[in-house]
Amino acid sequence: MQFRLEKRLQPSRFMLYATPVAAVILTMVVGAIVFSLLGYNGLGAVREIFLTPLTNPYKWQDLAVKSAPLIIIAVGLAIGYRANVWNIGAEGQYVVGGLAGTGVALATYDMSGPWILPLMILAGILGGMAWVAVPALLRTRLKVNEILTTLMLTYVSIQLLNYLVSGPWKNPMGMGQLQTKMFTADQSLPYIIPGTIVQLGTPIAILVAVVAWFVMSRSVFGFEVRTVGAAPHAARYAGFSANRTIWVALLISGGLAGLAGVLEAAGPFGRMVPQFPTNYGFTAIIVAFLGRLHPLGIILSGLVISISFVGGEVAQTTIGLPNAAVGIFQALMLFFILASDIFVRYRIKRVVPQAVESAA
């Protein structure tokens, strides 16, 4: 008996939105089995990682802080992925955005005024856009795959960060620690909820997702992006420029990654340190696909992934789970969401062998 995959004429809408939920459930089940086989408390790991952050009110503010950069970066990536533009190096654009904002902070360190923070944010956005402009130019002029160029530039950005923090930007009063000066009050994000660690980055992330949803669903640009990604020949016939779409999609994704970077530098970090690369740029790829490349869905998926981050920290202290456990759960989640896409777009059909068919 043989089987083959047959493309569905119209993917099931129910399956399209049910499979992310199924992917999360399968991740929990398989993760519990894997860690039980490794000698850990598998059920305890699932409980601490996925349930404790929701049932413990003291962890809710951590979820808001962790999810903000993931949502911002993932929204930018989703716009590019809708156009078949595969920016894999958002981590590098995130780092450069943080560096650009830090540069403004250090240049205005002896100044004060409400204009400093907006200038830092603008610099972060432009820094991320400038960093992704190189892959955009190589893709449109020389047809160089943007997957490779964006990814390789990530490692360049990390080396640039290490050079600046250990050299020109090193704080001479830092007691030997590799870090810049602490940002001043005018260079830091304000807290929106007194007595918590929730800063302005969280509402900005929600606003970015809502604006992106409106643009992608209600504007000509959104229609152009979807058309170029789904039917490039029809897009060219309709007068849409593929190169222009590539440029705009990459600049948006790079700019939003840079925005996330400067918000993290001016928010939770409060300065620039070598530990600034936190893999948010890579994790946001999972967030984008788990949210089905939909800006509003990304808000929910960003919350789910931030639960794994916060829960992973809890599990390390409560049941001694290794730090790599979070990465394993996130990798399983990405695997299941991508695997489920096959069943959303294809059906399994039994193939009758030709000899049997002839005999019949």
Side-chain angles (χ1 to χ4, degrees), residues 264-308:
E264 283 294 290
F269 281 90
R271 63 191 184 281
M272 184 57 63
V273 293
Q275 296 78 25
F276 185 73
T278 51
N279 288 329
Y280 280 147
F282 296 119
T283 307
I285 298 174
I286 304 176
V287 175
F289 282 105
L290 188 63
R292 288 302 186 196
L293 305 183
H294 192 289
L296 301 185
I298 285 172
I299 296 177
L300 296 178
S301 62
L303 180 61
V304 170
I305 298 299
S306 66
I307 288 173
S308 69

Side-chain angles (χ1 to χ4, degrees), residues 179-198:
Q179 60 184 13
T180 65
K181 297 177 180 178
M182 290 290 296
F183 293 171
T184 64
D186 288 334
Q187 299 169 342
S188 302
L189 292 179
Y191 293 94
I192 60 172
I193 302 178
T196 69
I197 60 173
V198 181

Side-chain angles (χ1 to χ4, degrees), residues 67-68 71-72 200-212 295-296 299:
S67 61
I71 292 171
I72 294 174
L200 188 61
T202 300
I204 289 178
I206 304 300
L207 179 62
V208 166
V210 172
V211 170
L296 301 185
I299 296 177

Side-chain angles (χ1 to χ4, degrees), residues 4-349:
R4 67 181 175 87
L5 292 175
E6 182 181 77
K7 190 174 180 65
R8 299 178 187 269
L9 295 178
Q10 182 65 38
S12 169
R13 230 179 141 74
F14 170 77
M15 289 288 291
L16 190 64
Y17 296 110
T19 46
V21 178
V24 174
I25 295 174
L26 285 172
T27 298
M28 296 168 68
V29 173
V30 175
I33 295 173
V34 168
F35 282 101
S36 295
L37 295 175
L38 292 175
Y40 295 96
N41 183 354
L43 292 177
V46 171
R47 182 186 66 250
E48 296 296 331
I49 291 179
F50 290 98
L51 299 180
T52 299
L54 293 176
T55 57
N56 187 349
Y58 293 104
K59 296 297 179 182
W60 294 350
Q61 54 185 316
D62 294 327
L63 296 179
V65 173
K66 292 285 187 181
S67 61
L70 292 173
I71 292 171
I72 294 174
I73 299 174
V75 166
L77 294 179
I79 293 174
Y81 295 165
R82 281 292 186 94
N84 275 335
V85 179
W86 303 99
N87 178 9
I88 305 298
E91 180 76 4
Q93 297 136 35
Y94 160 86
V95 171
V96 173
L99 289 175
T102 301
V104 173
L106 295 178
T108 60
Y109 199 78
D110 295 326
M111 305 178 189
S112 61
W115 54 273
I116 297 179
L117 184 59
L119 185 62
M120 290 172 58
I121 293 175
L122 178 60
I125 295 173
L126 294 178
M129 294 174 69
W131 202 248
V132 82
V134 176
L137 181 64
L138 293 175
R139 164 70 188 273
T140 54
R141 292 294 181 88
L142 302 177
K143 304 302 179 184
V144 179
N145 193 310
E146 71 276 8
I147 295 177
L148 298 176
T149 52
T150 53
L151 181 60
M152 289 189 293
L153 279 174
T154 298
Y155 302 102
V156 178
S157 68
I158 294 175
Q159 296 303 318
L160 177 62
L161 165 65
N162 292 332
Y163 163 72
L164 291 173
V165 173
S166 62
W169 289 359
K170 183 179 179 180
N171 184 6
M173 306 299 291
M175 305 295 291
Q177 298 293 325
L178 296 182
Q179 60 184 13
T180 65
K181 297 177 180 178
M182 290 290 296
F183 293 171
T184 64
D186 288 334
Q187 299 169 342
S188 302
L189 292 179
Y191 293 94
I192 60 172
I193 302 178
T196 69
I197 60 173
V198 181
Q199 295 176 297
L200 188 61
T202 300
I204 289 178
I206 304 300
L207 179 62
V208 166
V210 172
V211 170
W213 165 76
F214 181 82
V215 170
M216 290 299 294
S217 61
R218 298 289 191 272
S219 70
V220 176
F221 169 74
F223 177 72
E224 180 177 346
V225 167
R226 299 194 303 272
T227 305
V228 170
H233 296 295
R236 185 165 55 250
Y237 183 78
F240 296 148
S241 171
N243 284 346
R244 182 183 62 199
T245 303
I246 291 170
W247 266 102
V248 175
L250 282 175
L251 289 177
I252 290 176
S253 62
L256 289 180
L259 171 63
V262 69
L263 292 179
E264 283 294 290
F269 281 90
R271 63 191 184 281
M272 184 57 63
V273 293
Q275 296 78 25
F276 185 73
T278 51
N279 288 329
Y280 280 147
F282 296 119
T283 307
I285 298 174
I286 304 176
V287 175
F289 282 105
L290 188 63
R292 288 302 186 196
L293 305 183
H294 192 289
L296 301 185
I298 285 172
I299 296 177
L300 296 178
S301 62
L303 180 61
V304 170
I305 298 299
S306 66
I307 288 173
S308 69
F309 274 124
V310 176
E313 296 172 356
V314 174
Q316 290 180 53
T317 58
T318 55
I319 62 175
L321 208 64
N323 185 41
V326 175
I328 294 175
F329 276 105
Q330 291 177 354
L332 285 172
M333 202 176 299
L334 179 61
F335 171 78
F336 285 126
I337 191 64
L338 294 179
S340 66
D341 279 351
I342 297 177
F343 298 101
V344 171
R345 291 171 172 78
Y346 296 87
R347 62 167 58 92
I348 300 176
K349 185 175 182 180

